[in-house]
Amino acid sequence: MLALHIPDGYLGPYTFGFFYAVMIPIWYRAFKWLKKLRPQQVPLLGVLTAFAFLVMMYNMPVPGGTTAHIVGGTIIAVLIDPWAATVALTIVLLIQALFFGDGGITAYAANVFNMGVVLPFVGYYTYRFLNRKLGLSEVLSSGIGAYVGIVTAATVAGIELGIQPYIQPGYCPYKLSVSVPAMAIAHLVTAGPAAAVVTAAVVWYVKKSRPDLFEMRTIMKSRG
């Protein structure tokens, strides 16, 4: 199993069916949000989507025989919007599932929920709280937001896996006492710090070289 990418056979029909039902209205809302994109932001979203695809291809080995990886969802959320991250990761995870075997088709909606909803929204609102309420810099806030976002997403994935023995035996064999610590710790000590550093570095570079992108983001927020 590739950490946050849940493969086929690990989630029972009750669970993956539930997540497809949850994601349908979320996908509708996310793709409808694209109408708010300004023309100057379209290339940025394309570049960040490609960046997310690239960084997820680099897997870091962790104890226990599995791997962890960063996602890039918080970067997209901070530089554009959390809904943009949902759209980008919906596309990335579909390509990975269909052509690279990263994550299963049955688990696709659950994977998008974890990496394309939980991660960017938790990461973004952590960033916003630290920046606006506590006065931390955007660079530091984005790094911490990325760390919190990916650890939260990993923990949620661990819960999804760990409840299978209780509700549908025969799928993921590991109970909550095993799956949650395994997922959370792997990202606390490997992917989490990596995500924090990469996100902070990208935000610092964009803020220094293209401050207009931050101004554009502010204008979008003010318009709703």
Side-chain angles (χ1 to χ4, degrees):
M1 180 172 62
L2 292 176
L4 279 172
H5 286 79
I6 301 175
D8 287 324
Y10 277 75
L11 299 181
Y14 295 159
T15 305
F16 69 68
F18 168 80
F19 280 103
Y20 271 101
V22 167
M23 283 305 304
I24 287 173
I26 294 177
W27 278 322
Y28 174 79
R29 172 68 176 80
F31 281 92
K32 186 178 179 181
W33 176 90
L34 285 177
K35 296 178 182 179
K36 294 183 179 182
L37 267 182
R38 296 171 68 86
Q40 304 94 316
Q41 290 179 305
V42 175
L44 177 62
L45 179 56
V47 169
L48 292 176
T49 301
F51 178 79
F53 178 85
L54 179 64
V55 297
M56 277 197 280
M57 300 301 287
Y58 290 92
N59 296 289
M60 297 169 281
V62 297
T66 186
T67 59
H69 59 78
I70 67 176
V71 176
T74 302
I75 295 175
I76 303 172
V78 169
L79 295 181
I80 305 179
D81 190 271
W83 289 110
T86 301
V87 172
L89 289 163
T90 292
I91 296 169
V92 168
L93 291 169
L94 181 62
I95 293 172
Q96 290 180 334
L98 291 176
F99 300 106
F100 294 90
D102 288 351
I105 299 301
T106 58
Y108 171 65
N111 285 327
V112 176
F113 179 80
N114 299 336
M115 288 181 270
V117 178
V118 174
L119 188 154
F121 277 89
V122 170
Y124 174 76
Y125 283 105
T126 300
Y127 148 81
R128 198 166 80 163
F129 173 79
L130 295 173
N131 178 242
R132 297 186 182 182
K133 300 297 184 181
L134 300 186
L136 298 184
S137 70
E138 293 205 358
V139 173
L140 181 58
S141 298
S142 64
I144 297 173
Y147 183 87
V148 174
I150 196 168
V151 172
T152 303
T155 303
V156 171
I159 293 172
E160 293 162 5
L161 293 167
I163 63 174
Q164 299 310 303
Y166 303 98
I167 61 175
Q168 286 192 282
Y171 292 92
C172 179
Y174 305 109
K175 295 184 178 181
L176 289 167
S177 59
V178 175
S179 63
V180 173
M183 293 294 291
I185 293 172
H187 290 80
L188 279 167
V189 300
T190 56
V197 171
V198 170
T199 300
V202 171
V203 170
W204 172 82
Y205 178 78
V206 172
K207 189 172 177 60
K208 181 179 180 181
S209 61
R210 291 291 306 274
D212 57 298
L213 294 176
F214 282 85
E215 296 172 5
M216 194 180 308
R217 181 198 60 183
T218 303
I219 292 172
M220 284 187 67
K221 294 296 182 184
S222 66
R223 291 183 178 177

